[in-house]
Amino acid sequence: SINEGSDVCACSAYDAMSYYQIMKNKALATKETNSNESKRTIEALDKSCFVSTAGNPSVHQYKGMMNQTENANHHLCFDRDRA
């Protein structure tokens, strides 16, 4: 289950995986110089939930997600491609 304060990001699966990997690598790369920020970023990523909407989400997908994760922080992520 999703805990209160967890982040739920809805986007394409490819974009979600890319975002996770980029942010985790950045946090690990700055671990030596900014350990507190790095730790917070990694903890936030580890308790996040990434939901794939396959590029064309429906109202029912969002309603279902909101019902299942009502205590989480929701982020709807979109890019500019045509997928």
Side-chain angles (χ1 to χ4, degrees), residues 1 8 14 17 27 34-35 39 43 51-53 56 64 66-67 70 82:
S1 74
V8 175
Y14 183 82
M17 290 185 294
N34 195 349
S35 62
K39 184 179 177 182
E43 287 173 354
V51 179
S52 173
T53 58
N56 191 15
M66 298 295 276
N67 287 335
E70 61 186 31
R82 294 180 184 208

Side-chain angles (χ1 to χ4, degrees), residues 26-38:
K26 281 184 180 181
L28 291 172
T30 61
K31 195 172 185 177
E32 295 287 324
T33 58
N34 195 349
S35 62
N36 288 336
E37 182 65 27
S38 176

Side-chain angles (χ1 to χ4, degrees), residues 4-65:
E4 186 172 340
S6 295
D7 292 313
V8 175
C9 302
C11 50
S12 74
Y14 183 82
D15 291 341
M17 290 185 294
S18 298
Y19 175 83
Y20 181 89
Q21 290 176 340
I22 289 168
M23 295 306 291
K24 187 108 178 210
N25 286 339
K26 281 184 180 181
L28 291 172
T30 61
K31 195 172 185 177
E32 295 287 324
T33 58
N34 195 349
S35 62
N36 288 336
E37 182 65 27
S38 176
K39 184 179 177 182
R40 279 193 298 272
T41 299
I42 292 169
E43 287 173 354
L45 286 169
D46 287 346
K47 70 177 191 174
S48 294
C49 174
F50 297 90
V51 179
S52 173
T53 58
N56 191 15
S58 71
V59 171
H60 294 292
Q61 280 180 305
Y62 283 128
K63 283 182 179 180
M65 183 180 65

